[in-house]
Amino acid sequence: MSKSFIIGSRGSELALWQANFVKDELASHFPDRVFEIKIIKTTGDEIVDISLSKIGDKGLFTKQIETALLNGEIDAAVHSLKDLQTTQPDGLTIGAVCKRELPGDALVSTNFASIDDLPRNGTVATGSLRRRSQLLNYRPDLKVVDIRGNVPTRLRKFDESSIDAMILAYAGLHRLGFDERITQLIPHGIILPAVGQGAVAVEVRSDDTQVLHDVAKLNDHFTRICITAERAFLRHLEGGCQVPIGALAVLDKDVLRLDGIIASLDGETVLRKSIEGRSDDSEKMGIDLADRLINMGAGDLLDRVRAAAEAVIR
């Protein structure tokens, strides 16, 4: 048991915060073990000047780390859950989902306290089609511009610009100590978060029973129920970074509420619905909600969104 336990991670400040959190949690359960972090650069880290919607999303921030895991170079991989594909590669599984941080988005602005306070025809920065479409549905007068980079980089770019506001995930700002930059926690009624936003996943090899046993100590049962419903919803819709899809599951005792949204790129068309059910039906609930949105016309909307995204890429 003296062999080091190697955790694979991206090298951004937020990724390393998450990896160190997992490392410290494991060390608290296994004080006699040695835990190390290995930084692995991903495609998403190398391409920082192109919109995510233009370069695709198939393992953009995970593929190289998952390859290292499959090759036995690392024992576990730590990811932002929202970056993971909804179906794991053969041989890999999510061994633990850590307790979720607040899953919503936050507004960053120097002069304006909320989205409602932004001036008519104001400018808002975001690198997410999901945020863009929902924001434009709520405030169609706003101009939305793209922004890429890790959290500190985006904050620096924002500070050096004349942009009125920027939208980032609350969890990333909070974990890196940037709470003072938050001017509004955006209500979920305005913008639903990404599937799995705010949750940290520990990915392991499916046949590594020892590591599966070890990382299970970090699993938060309630978070797992919620993200299972959200990921089933996204999987059934076959969505990703190129499609504006949001979802949020909230567990109250044994009642699970799942809210999902699909929007056009310009925000003019939005399909949104919520359902409630039992916590032990989370997977089925995600599929049921996706089917209900499909019956409302989500299939045609998704086809139009993908065609529009492809046209932009070309």
Side-chain angles (χ1 to χ4, degrees):
M1 299 292 285
S2 61
K3 173 181 170 292
S4 292
F5 186 114
I6 302 175
I7 299 167
S9 169
R10 295 169 58 203
S12 73
E13 290 92 335
L14 181 57
L16 289 175
W17 184 98
Q18 294 173 163
N20 277 291
F21 172 80
V22 169
K23 174 176 174 283
D24 292 344
E25 287 292 302
L26 286 171
S28 71
H29 288 287
F30 306 99
D32 296 331
R33 302 284 298 278
V34 177
F35 297 93
E36 300 177 2
I37 294 173
K38 179 177 181 178
I39 295 175
I40 299 170
K41 186 168 286 190
T42 68
T43 302
D45 297 313
E46 294 176 340
I47 305 175
V48 297
D49 56 349
I50 302 175
S51 171
L52 295 181
S53 62
K54 294 183 180 181
I55 56 179
D57 63 297
K58 296 291 187 182
L60 196 61
F61 294 107
T62 62
K63 185 176 180 181
Q64 284 83 357
I65 300 175
E66 289 176 331
T67 297
L69 183 55
L70 285 168
N71 290 341
E73 298 168 26
I74 57 177
D75 297 293
V78 175
H79 308 280
S80 293
L81 185 63
K82 66 184 180 65
D83 291 337
L84 277 180
Q85 299 178 61
T86 54
T87 301
Q88 306 319 114
D90 289 343
L92 299 181
T93 188
I94 298 176
V97 179
C98 304
K99 186 176 181 180
R100 192 178 208 172
E101 185 52 83
L102 291 177
D105 288 319
L107 188 76
V108 173
S109 180
T110 304
N111 300 311
F112 305 100
S114 70
I115 290 175
D116 290 334
D117 288 337
L118 290 170
R120 184 165 181 79
N121 300 317
T123 304
V124 180
T126 175
S128 161
L129 294 181
R130 170 189 59 80
R131 293 175 181 135
R132 174 191 294 265
S133 62
Q134 293 183 78
L135 178 64
L136 288 175
N137 178 259
Y138 185 73
R139 285 283 307 268
D141 61 291
L142 295 174
K143 178 184 178 182
V144 182
V145 296
D146 193 62
I147 192 166
R148 281 288 314 277
N150 57 39
V151 172
T153 298
R154 293 190 196 197
L155 288 171
R156 176 182 55 77
K157 288 180 178 179
F158 173 75
D159 289 339
E160 294 172 351
S161 75
S162 59
I163 296 169
D164 294 305
M166 176 170 62
I167 300 176
L168 296 171
Y170 167 81
L173 289 165
H174 175 66
R175 286 168 174 160
L176 293 180
F178 290 116
D179 295 73
E180 77 282 355
R181 300 301 305 268
I182 298 171
T183 54
Q184 181 191 25
L185 292 178
I186 300 174
H188 297 149
I190 298 177
I191 298 180
L192 269 184
V195 166
Q197 186 164 307
V200 175
V202 184
E203 191 177 29
V204 301
R205 289 183 292 277
S206 306
D207 61 355
D208 195 332
T209 55
Q210 182 61 56
V211 173
L212 278 166
H213 173 270
D214 293 348
V215 302
K217 300 284 188 183
L218 279 58
N219 193 64
D220 183 77
H221 176 67
F222 300 106
T223 299
R224 188 104 187 198
I225 289 172
C226 292
I227 64 94
T228 296
E230 294 172 16
R231 285 168 61 80
F233 171 74
L234 182 62
R235 185 186 308 114
H236 201 60
L237 292 172
E238 299 181 350
C241 287
Q242 296 182 48
V243 181
I245 295 176
L248 179 63
V250 177
L251 185 61
D252 183 7
K253 296 180 181 177
D254 196 42
V255 177
L256 185 67
R257 176 186 172 89
L258 178 61
D259 199 355
I261 191 169
I262 304 170
S264 60
L265 296 179
D266 58 11
E268 289 188 5
T269 303
V270 169
L271 300 176
R272 180 168 180 166
K273 193 169 184 61
S274 64
I275 59 174
E276 290 187 354
R278 298 183 348 182
S279 60
D280 56 358
D281 286 333
S282 57
E283 178 92 19
K284 181 177 181 297
M285 283 181 62
I287 295 171
D288 286 348
L289 182 58
D291 282 335
R292 294 190 192 197
L293 287 178
I294 289 170
N295 290 335
M296 292 167 62
D300 291 338
L301 177 57
L302 287 172
D303 287 342
R304 296 200 304 272
V305 168
R306 292 187 179 105
E310 285 295 324
V312 170
I313 294 171
R314 289 195 295 268

